[in-house]
Amino acid sequence: MKKKLACLTSVALAVSMAACSGGSQETATTAAPETTTAAETTTAAETTTAAETEAEEEAGALTAGTYTASKSGMNGQVTVEVVTDDTSIVSVKVTDNQETPGIGSPLIDGEKEGTIPTISIPAAIVENQSIAVDAVAGATITSAAVKSAVEDCLTQAGANVDDWKTPVEKEAGKEIEMDADVVVVGGGGAGLAAAISASQNGAKVIVVEKNGAVGGDTLVCGAIYNNPDEELQSKVEMSDAVKKTLEAGIAVEPVNDAHKELIDTVAAEWAQHQADGKTTLFDSEAWFTLQTYNGGDNVAELDLVKVLCNNAIDGYDWIQELGMEFNDTIGQGAGSLWQRTHTSTKPMGTGFISTYVENIAADDNIEMITSTTATKLVQDDTGRVVGVEAEDVNGNTYKFSAAKGVVLAAGGFAANSKMVNEYNTTGKWDDLSGLPTTNRFSCSQGDGIVMAQEIGAALSQMEQIQLLYLGNVKDGGLTKYPARCVNGTDQEIFINKNGERFVREDGRRDEICLQVLQQPDAMFYFLESADGDYTDVETALTADGFTFQEMEEQGYIIIADTLDEMAEKLGCDAETLKATVDAFNASVDSGEDEFGRTLYSVKLENGPFVATPRQACLHHTMGGVKIDTEGRVLDESGAPIEGLVAAGEITGGIHGGNRLGGNAVVDTVVFGKLAGETITK
């Protein structure tokens, strides 16, 4: 199999593009007699034209030319240019789109092939002279937009579009065997980190990804990563309000001796920080660990929390060595509880995935197989995991042999409503049926968890389910919000439809979501002003790279020069809204807040004001397969299943009852890297 660059061509696509059928046929013609009268010549010419026309109509004839059409994709209009001659589609090109990099559009500049629909669908249509080509797994909406736009162009060219829908022949039913040292199931953040780590430790690696391109839910994450950072945190003055958060954290009642030891460590470090006369922001690995454990209701496996937090700095350095770039400021991500959040310089999770993809493209030891779903873990007579069975989109079956073992990194189950409802037993959440999810439906289905169960893997804390208040109100997607919404808690307030605050904005994710669900229509608005990081909405961009004007036109944000104007646009009482903002501004001055907020940086005083409507959505499942501190999957007796490790959201026990914002990406990096090291030992 040929190795791909960014999206890495799948066997399925290669097969479908190799089969050329339908659409273009030979055109019949009728020659005039050699000797004719002038009248006969005219009659013959007319007869020839009629015959040609009839034949061409039967063959799906076209009027040669260049045609364009636009159709709605996932994020906006997808514009296609189609060039035809009189019998065939000469070229198809997507000339403009707003689709998510790595899912609907190329992740890397200059990308020319692969199973990205704005690239692969046009290529397949030209190759097969048919618009009846397969959608790209995981990008069906963009795929449909491209095909629909091409169909529109063919109609403009005078075609009978049914003539251009000849089913593409597929080579199916093949049995394919491939060997490697390590097989990684899942090409999201954790799986790619594991693949690179295993390769760095000398292993030949195959990554099996069910979508058309790698990236998983990491592609649409908030792009934030938590770790103590002495250099950046030394530039932040520690306010009295923030000190209260620390003091409350070390004042909690310990639940066991290990918890008490951790509390005592942080208390001693904090005392030393003050004794040294430091006034800048305090942080340490122990404080990060304690906040993560406390923030998860003290139900996580503390040893796993320590692995996460004590290796976060190392993971941060490692991914930067791979080429990842972060902004040079520290912030507090949504629900992260402390100013230790680093943000990618690229939109959403594209920075993480493009970093991995570029490294893999240059690594001959890693092979990527996309559009192929793992179905079974293979064990030998001793019970050791030695491979994976899988099936691609065409029905071809695969047997991947893994000499050293398998890494499970297939994600959680937040997009599987049946599993969510089965395990939603804590009493924290009411019926979650019908609640949107921030995840991609092609990901987070829990299929890797089921595979592990089938060979006896134990599960851990499956009942721990997280909602996030960052979902847009159209489809729940974690997209199209101003950057401060995810990493600028200090510069905004949350208001309901009545223009009133209802919760502390720097609190836990679950506490905020519970309050959101109680507001009118179970939604709210982020409200920010021109007083923070960006003062010019004409040039500012959302977290995923759109202009504010584009987002306002599409209904994702509301912009107003004054609070009176904002109240009118939101349909709330202007005096109520202004009183809400005035009360908050007074809290910034006093450091005392009615909802207990401790993080402030600016007052909301100057327009333009921006309101972003959001809702609480299913986001992360903290439960999954049970692992030890080396990432090895454990069975019901607590013994490791030989040859099987796991990393990322598929695992349980790390985050407890509430995952801190920004810790999911830390999880993928730290445990992904660890999984690659463990499986190659």
Side-chain angles (χ1 to χ4, degrees):
M1 180 161 297
K2 186 177 180 180
K3 186 165 175 194
K4 303 160 289 292
L5 260 172
C7 306
L8 310 164
T9 308
S10 68
V11 170
L13 182 64
V15 170
S16 69
M17 291 179 65
C20 181
S21 63
S24 178
Q25 301 176 23
E26 292 184 1
T27 302
T29 59
T30 303
E34 290 184 16
T35 305
T36 62
T37 65
E40 287 174 335
T41 300
T42 301
T43 303
E46 290 174 348
T47 302
T48 299
T49 301
E52 288 176 344
T53 300
E54 181 178 357
E56 288 174 349
E57 287 176 351
E58 291 177 355
L62 302 166
T63 300
T66 300
Y67 306 92
T68 62
S70 298
K71 298 294 179 180
S72 295
M74 186 69 185
N75 295 331
Q77 293 294 300
V78 177
T79 301
V80 170
E81 178 186 272
V82 176
V83 177
T84 71
D85 57 25
D86 57 358
T87 60
S88 66
I89 302 171
V90 176
S91 69
V92 176
K93 181 180 180 181
V94 174
T95 59
D96 190 33
N97 75 94
Q98 296 179 311
E99 304 304 85
T100 304
I103 301 176
S105 66
L107 183 64
I108 297 175
D109 291 341
E111 190 174 359
K112 298 183 183 302
E113 64 176 341
T115 48
I116 292 294
T118 52
I119 298 174
S120 60
I121 296 292
I125 288 173
V126 173
E127 181 75 16
N128 294 286
Q129 293 294 297
S130 172
I131 55 177
V133 297
D134 285 340
V136 174
T140 55
I141 294 176
T142 305
S143 300
V146 174
K147 292 195 289 183
S148 180
V150 173
E151 182 172 336
D152 189 322
C153 290
L154 292 176
T155 300
Q156 295 176 48
N160 176 358
V161 294
D162 288 340
D163 294 334
W164 301 89
K165 293 183 178 180
T166 304
V168 177
E169 295 180 5
K170 303 173 184 177
E171 188 175 355
K174 294 174 62 179
E175 294 184 1
I176 302 166
E177 296 185 2
M178 299 181 69
D179 299 327
D181 295 317
V182 175
V183 174
V184 178
V185 178
L192 299 184
I196 292 171
S197 174
S199 176
Q200 288 177 337
N201 283 276
K204 178 184 176 184
V205 184
I206 292 175
V207 179
V208 183
E209 167 58 43
K210 64 181 176 181
N211 288 312
V214 298
D217 278 327
T218 305
L219 266 175
V220 294
C221 76
I224 56 178
Y225 185 103
N226 295 331
N227 64 271
D229 188 320
E230 184 176 358
E231 179 183 356
L232 293 181
Q233 289 170 326
S234 68
K235 302 175 183 179
V236 179
E237 285 296 311
M238 191 170 181
S239 69
D240 290 338
V242 170
K243 291 177 184 177
K244 292 178 181 178
T245 298
L246 173 57
E247 290 164 354
I250 58 179
V252 297
E253 189 69 26
V255 297
N256 52 46
D257 290 343
H259 189 203
K260 182 180 184 305
E261 181 180 351
L262 184 60
I263 292 170
D264 291 343
T265 298
V266 176
E269 291 175 339
W270 170 232
Q272 187 63 53
H273 184 87
Q274 296 175 94
D276 291 341
K278 295 180 180 179
T279 60
T280 53
L281 187 65
F282 167 82
D283 205 0
S284 70
E285 292 178 356
W287 173 225
F288 183 20
T289 303
L290 182 60
Q291 273 201 301
T292 299
Y293 188 61
N294 287 350
D297 297 324
N298 310 130
V299 298
E301 298 289 338
L302 185 52
D303 286 343
L304 294 179
V305 179
K306 289 179 179 178
V307 172
L308 178 80
C309 299
N310 292 346
N311 291 282
I313 296 175
D314 179 60
Y316 180 69
D317 292 339
W318 178 72
I319 196 170
Q320 286 187 102
E321 289 170 1
L322 295 179
M324 178 69 187
E325 295 181 352
F326 293 92
N327 292 326
D328 59 358
T329 57
I330 204 81
Q332 181 168 316
S336 68
L337 307 184
W338 200 251
Q339 290 172 274
R340 62 169 68 93
T341 303
H342 302 79
T343 304
S344 169
T345 59
K346 293 185 178 180
M348 308 300 287
T350 59
F352 293 96
I353 299 304
S354 62
T355 296
Y356 291 139
V357 165
E358 287 169 349
N359 278 270
I360 289 171
D363 190 338
D364 292 334
N365 285 328
I366 305 176
E367 184 79 17
M368 308 291 290
I369 311 296
T370 57
S371 299
T372 301
T373 302
T375 57
K376 182 180 179 181
L377 295 169
V378 179
Q379 295 173 285
D380 64 13
D381 293 340
T382 69
R384 179 182 179 84
V385 176
V386 294
V388 175
E389 292 182 2
E391 183 174 333
D392 71 16
V393 293
N394 290 330
N396 299 306
T397 59
Y398 293 77
K399 290 185 178 180
F400 299 106
S401 296
K404 293 181 178 294
V406 172
V407 177
L408 275 181
F413 59 94
N416 185 330
S417 60
K418 183 178 179 180
M419 285 185 74
V420 167
N421 288 324
E422 176 185 354
Y423 291 108
N424 179 29
T425 59
T426 63
K428 176 186 291 185
W429 311 112
D430 292 333
D431 184 8
L432 296 174
S433 300
L435 198 69
T437 178
T438 62
N439 298 150
R440 299 168 62 190
F441 282 101
S442 58
C443 307
S444 299
Q445 289 291 330
D447 37 3
I449 295 174
V450 174
M451 279 196 298
Q453 274 187 287
E454 290 173 348
I455 65 165
L459 302 184
S460 174
Q461 300 183 348
M462 291 289 286
E463 71 281 1
Q464 303 297 349
I465 297 168
Q466 182 175 70
L467 273 58
L468 179 62
Y469 48 88
L470 287 171
N472 71 58
V473 296
K474 293 190 176 185
D475 59 22
L478 188 61
T479 55
K480 304 179 181 68
Y481 52 76
R484 283 187 291 211
C485 294
V486 71
N487 196 12
T489 308
D490 55 318
Q491 303 171 55
E492 61 195 0
I493 59 173
F494 301 171
I495 59 171
N496 61 21
K497 297 186 74 171
N498 299 327
E500 303 163 326
R501 283 181 70 206
F502 57 91
V503 71
R504 60 175 293 184
E505 293 83 358
D506 57 353
R508 289 169 43 139
R509 288 183 168 185
D510 54 353
E511 293 173 353
I512 293 173
C513 287
L514 286 168
Q515 289 300 315
V516 168
L517 293 172
Q518 296 177 31
Q519 303 311 305
D521 295 334
M523 59 82 64
F524 74 106
Y525 299 93
F526 291 99
L527 182 66
E528 53 189 306
S529 71
D531 300 285
D533 289 339
Y534 39 81
T535 59
D536 185 1
V537 298
E538 295 293 328
T539 59
L541 297 176
T542 65
D544 40 357
F546 296 97
T547 68
F548 281 26
Q549 286 67 36
E550 288 174 318
M551 292 302 92
E552 185 176 37
E553 290 170 1
Q554 296 182 33
Y556 287 101
I557 64 175
I558 301 97
I559 302 173
D561 289 329
T562 67
L563 288 174
D564 285 295
E565 182 187 1
M566 180 62 76
E568 182 178 355
K569 289 186 174 183
L570 298 184
C572 68
D573 179 68
E575 295 307 314
T576 299
L577 179 58
K578 287 189 286 188
T580 296
V581 172
D582 287 344
F584 169 74
N585 289 342
S587 295
V588 177
D589 287 331
S590 68
E592 298 292 334
D593 181 71
E594 61 179 311
F595 295 100
R597 174 169 170 162
T598 62
L599 189 63
Y600 314 91
S601 66
V602 297
K603 298 179 183 179
L604 306 183
E605 296 179 310
N606 300 292
F609 295 89
V610 179
T612 306
R614 294 282 123 171
Q615 62 176 326
C617 299
L618 287 161
H619 179 59
H620 192 97
T621 46
M622 283 80 76
V625 297
K626 191 174 182 61
I627 60 171
D628 64 13
T629 55
E630 294 184 68
R632 299 181 298 177
V633 177
L634 306 178
D635 64 19
E636 294 290 352
S637 71
I641 297 175
E642 294 299 321
L644 185 63
V645 300
E649 195 175 346
I650 194 173
T651 64
I654 298 171
H655 304 289
N658 173 66
R659 180 180 62 76
L660 302 194
N663 276 10
V665 176
V666 182
D667 186 354
T668 63
V669 174
V670 168
F671 281 92
K673 179 175 180 289
L674 177 63
E677 294 165 351
T678 296
I679 203 67
T680 52
K681 288 181 180 178

